[in-house]
Amino acid sequence: MKASAFAAIGISIMVATSAQGASVDPESFAIEDASGKTVKLFSSNQLRTEFKTVTITTTTPWSTDGAKIQWRGPPLLDLLHSGGLDTLSSVQIVAYDDFISDITLDEIRSYGPILALERSCTRADVTKGKCQAGQQFRAIDLDEKGPHFIVWPLDKLPSSYVPARNSIWVFFPVAARPSPQ
């Protein structure tokens, strides 16, 4: 059996055992109501085509040597707006592994995070065959805790946010829902 078949089996097993109450398709992002019921569900393709795309060039709290990466995807605020969550004071972002991060709408409006779907290609990516020569962006792979990642412009965040608010950088987010009041 090919490695890609093993990977697909592994993903299927993870889907069956993870993200209780969240979207069962790791390639999608759900907008949920307060009870966790899906109100809207967007595939990765819909996220790329139905929303404007923004590019953020930034380091992350885990970057080595201050390396900046370009990340591309729809603004998180636009996704929240599509499901009526943009009028709340805060939302929960749910990751595939059931990690939950509470994020205020004031933070989202002030700093403009994106739901990154792609990252810039590097020379190493070309060498490893993840990108073709001249390709600018590629999908965020599972090894990088993708296919989605909440990315913030680190240089615009208050210095007190690192490491105190590192939880707002959510790897593998699959849903957004109202925070409990």
Side-chain angles (χ1 to χ4, degrees):
M1 191 178 280
K2 291 185 175 182
S4 61
F6 282 118
I9 291 169
I11 290 171
S12 296
I13 291 169
M14 288 185 340
V15 169
T17 61
S18 293
Q20 302 164 3
S23 160
V24 293
D25 180 2
E27 292 283 335
S28 64
F29 187 81
I31 303 295
E32 298 177 346
D33 65 16
S35 72
K37 180 183 173 200
T38 298
V39 176
K40 289 195 171 206
L41 184 65
F42 299 103
S43 68
S44 290
N45 188 52
Q46 287 174 308
L47 292 167
R48 284 181 179 86
T49 59
E50 293 181 17
F51 295 91
K52 73 178 177 183
T53 299
V54 173
T55 301
I56 293 178
T57 303
T58 188
T59 58
T60 70
W62 307 277
S63 296
T64 56
D65 302 325
K68 288 191 173 193
I69 298 172
Q70 285 187 315
W71 303 91
R72 190 162 66 178
L76 183 57
L77 188 60
D78 290 359
L79 295 172
L80 299 177
H81 176 75
S82 75
L85 301 182
D86 61 323
T87 61
L88 303 172
S89 59
S90 65
V91 293
Q92 290 185 327
I93 302 297
V94 181
Y96 188 69
D97 64 358
D98 294 325
F99 171 81
I100 296 174
S101 179
D102 282 294
I103 303 174
T104 69
L105 268 289
D106 285 344
E107 290 173 304
I108 293 168
R109 285 187 193 97
S110 295
Y111 305 114
I114 63 171
L115 179 68
L117 308 172
E118 300 174 315
R119 57 160 290 159
S120 55
C121 291
T122 64
R123 287 187 188 118
D125 291 334
V126 173
T127 302
K128 293 176 186 175
K130 290 183 176 185
C131 293
Q132 301 297 317
Q135 183 178 340
Q136 285 190 296
F137 289 90
R138 65 171 176 80
I140 304 168
D141 59 36
L142 289 174
D143 293 338
E144 299 167 312
K145 299 180 178 101
H148 311 131
F149 177 31
I150 303 293
V151 174
W152 299 76
L154 184 64
D155 59 337
K156 293 182 181 176
L157 296 176
S159 59
S160 63
Y161 270 46
V162 180
R165 288 293 285 148
N166 282 354
S167 65
I168 63 175
W169 298 75
V170 182
F171 295 106
F172 210 152
V174 293
R177 64 177 169 227
S179 292
Q181 299 302 328

